[in-house]
Amino acid sequence: MNYIPVTDKEKQEMLAKIGVKTSDELFSSIPKSARIKDLNISAGISEQALIRLLEDKSKKNSSLKDFLNFRGAGIYEHFIPTLVEEITSRSEFSTAYTPYQPEASQGTLQSIFEYQSMIAEITGMDVANASMYDGASATAEAAMLSLRSSGRRKLIISGLLHPEYQQVLRTYLQGTDVDIEVIQQVDGITSLSKLKNFVNNECASVIIQSPNFFGSIEDLDEIRKLTTEHGALLIQVLNPLSLGILKTPGEIGCDIAVGEGQVLGSATGFGGFTFGFFAAKKALAWKIPGRIVGQTIDTKNRRGFVLTLQAREQHIKREKATSNICTNAALNALSGCVYLSGWGPHGLKELAGLNIRKSHYAYDKISKVKGFEPAFKNQLFFNEFVLRTKKNIDEIEKNLLSENIIGPFALKGFYPELSDCLLFCVTETKTKEDIDKLVAILGK
Amino acid sequence: MEKILIELSQEGQIGYSVPENDMGETDISKILPQKYMRATIPKLPQVSEPDLRRHFTKLSQLNYSLTTNFYPLGSCTMKYNPPVNEKIANLPGLRYLHPYQPENTVQGMLEILYELQDVFCQITGMDNMTLQPSAGAQGEFTGLLLIRAYFKSKNERRNKIIVPDSAHGTNPASAKIAGFEILPLHSEPDGHIDPAKLKEILTDDVAALMLTAPNTLGVFEKDILILTDMMHKNGSLLYYDGANLNALMGHARPGDLGFDIIHINLHKTFSTPHGGGGPGAGPVGVKKALEPFLPKPVINKNKNVYSFIYDRPKSIGKVRSFYGNIPVLIKAYCYIKALGREGLKKVSEQAVINANYLLAILKEKLPAPAGDRCMHEFILSGKPLNKCGVKTLDVAKRLLDYGYYAPTIYFPLIIEEAIMIEPTETESKSTLDEFARVLINILEEAQNTPDLLKNAPQNTPVSRLNEVEAARKPILRW
Ligand SMILES: Cc1ncc(COP(=O)(O)O)c(C=O)c1O
């Protein structure tokens, strides 16, 4: 297979115009010692053979289309309205580049402006950027913003921030001398008393996820008072879908809200369809990393959209840029845009309500199954919760798999002290019947 | 122009149908205390599905894209994206997987990723790879952290990275956030790096030189082996910005040239669509000595069983959640499988021929500061047009009127009035001929009717937009 339209005859004409006999002469600036004859990889194949090859490989995986899934832990299975994929698969969106020439990119630019507006609306924040790679790197960028803008060298993070986000945050800060203090949990939420011991005037920000990795909703009002008192920023990491019902970071008074946008209309994709959203208070607008689209007018006074505040960016500021992000996750963010635009405020609320109803139904039912009990007292949660079990966790997983169920996530990998605990996720995609089936098998 | 969503909103409309509630109508406030609930109502649009579909379809039509227009953007490699790759990435067995589902239920996926690492090693001449980085810049950042970790393990204090001024803006930005001090290196007027100038700034606290080759002027460093030798003798490493690997693939391998670390932009060389700004992927390859520091997890193969290995004590950690931008990786895998060794080699050959062919025609009309040979892209300077009162920007805008996306302009910063053109291998000779004809025509317009350029574009959905005003009084949301 190849996708080259130039014929052999044309190739000769082109070489003649260039003034060389063979194309080899065009590579003469590369040292002979490094030239290779051929790559040591397989020969090309036809489109038909390619499809066949990949279909065969795909069949070695168990797709969530064939399995009932009760696993979340950072990537969630939600219903995706057909229109979302219809729009994002339009090649006019998917094969465009970063909108450097705004007059020829109004579609991408306007949709980003709409995306920014809706992210700001659901989070209750003032401004949002055009997306980042994923929730983890957005969290790391938020932390770096707080360090930059405060000149302080200390961060406080909740131990219930997604463990992978904690790892990414540490990786991002490897080149600095920043101190990271991790606050442990009590009863499934970040310990307020421990937090109080650590927040002081040297602290750039406090980073709390809510709903947190265990699914619990944190009480952020108290934490907000603490950060304000000490001049630290409060950064909330969150599930945007929960904002159909839950108090917004804007209402709480957070300075920055970030998180994973995959829940807004992207498939689970083995964790690959991610985008980080990043929203902040107005005062931080010039310090936000990444691209931002602004509204303006053309020479005839018509409305149009452009990339703006670019003086913060790497292609102008080089090492003085607010971050190195260039390519972001625009198409996944477009999924988020189309997704949010169709539910409206009432639909989003109903959807969030469904998640709460279904997960609480499952919580109540499974808690009553012999061998299972709530891990924390009075866990307040959105669509994920933790149960403790006396049963063998590997056995549970095996049994469920044999019934085509991908069961809860075992916490033992990330939290060894909770080696008998399971994190269940139930979204609107599961019917009462699905949940009852899970309960029945767990009871066997 | 199309209205913005909120202007289409009608109280009471809804686009999507909310799934059935089979749980009963309990009051949510009986489940969660009121103090945790939102008090405000977000100003989200209320639009029916038919109107939403029209809205977004119309928006899509306001775009230039690769499937609608020739896109000769230098450094961005806007080549044809085969739709079969999209189709494959959407197969249920690849699309609907959970990142934490048991490893024995995702063996096909792990096999694809493992093989992909392997072919990237073959293509680049590196010993091992990580697929985790989500874009070129994140790849650079990863590579620089690997360099830090490497010297730290050897107890060497090296905190400087040399970055030529011909490098992409992400290079110095990435080096900075990785905690390095940046030593700028001035390139020569034709874009080359002079080894003598490198020598002047090469001290024993230099960790690495970051090089883009071919560089942003489309030329391959003629003294590359001298440069790599100098760095290694100094105990320093060489970082290869492989965003432009499409010029080299199948002809030479950065690993054989002495480079120690490389990132590759899959959304350029390997034909994955750019998505209007992403997602991309920026896998990083390293030589053996840097392997222990690669991000975790790594994929292991043992008797045809694949697994993730997390126990990597020297690893720099994770640079993103989960394993990478999987759909982008799958598309690159498909592309490589389809083209195979001959196909990939042909890609570079034709990319270089196409660029040189266009250069051969256009250098007769505009100066080519980096010389009259190039690799996959080349630079012209619009400087001579200034005497007609016309700037490179005006030429770019006029090209939009003729149905072409504009080339990259004012980049690299070191060339005055730069125009950077990258035709790629997937454009036909007639497309190139026609583009050259139009560009030459525009140069004539610049002489005779410069206002046509200065008032361009006129045939686009909006005319020239006021970017200064947008930055002065930012309106960033409805
Ligand atoms: C030479 C070069 N290096 C690095 C990058 C950065 O890659 P990305 O945009 O994927 O972060 C680019 C592209 O923008 C590039 O052209």
Side-chain angles (χ1 to χ4, degrees), chain A residues 356-367:
Chain A
I356 293 175
R357 289 194 165 94
K358 298 202 176 212
S359 61
H360 283 74
Y361 174 79
Y363 177 86
D364 291 343
K365 283 271 177 163
I366 305 168
S367 301

Side-chain angles (χ1 to χ4, degrees), chain A residues 179-196:
Chain A
D179 257 356
I180 303 176
E181 195 66 55
V182 182
I183 306 297
Q184 298 312 327
Q185 59 101 16
V186 178
D187 274 330
I189 58 169
T190 312
S191 161
L192 187 62
S193 61
K194 288 188 187 138
L195 189 64
K196 279 185 176 150

Side-chain angles (χ1 to χ4, degrees), chain A residues 97 133 326-327, chain B residues 75 135-138 140 168 170-171 212 216 241 243-244 263 265 267-268:
Chain A
Y97 194 64
Y133 308 131
C326 180
T327 290
Chain B
S75 196
Q138 208 183 30
E140 293 166 17
H168 196 259
T170 49
N171 290 3
T212 306
T216 53
D241 178 333
N244 297 328
H263 86 263
N265 282 20
H267 42 302
K268 300 184 181 216

Side-chain angles (χ1 to χ4, degrees), chain B residues 58-99:
Chain B
K58 278 188 212 160
L59 285 190
S60 78
Q61 291 170 341
L62 302 178
N63 264 2
Y64 283 26
S65 73
L66 205 59
T67 48
T68 54
N69 303 73
F70 176 39
Y71 231 93
L73 265 181
S75 196
C76 301
T77 315
M78 294 298 285
K79 64 162 78 170
Y80 180 71
N81 309 126
V84 61
N85 299 352
E86 296 296 323
K87 177 178 158 143
I88 289 171
N90 285 340
L91 288 171
L94 300 178
R95 187 178 176 87
Y96 302 107
L97 303 179
H98 193 281

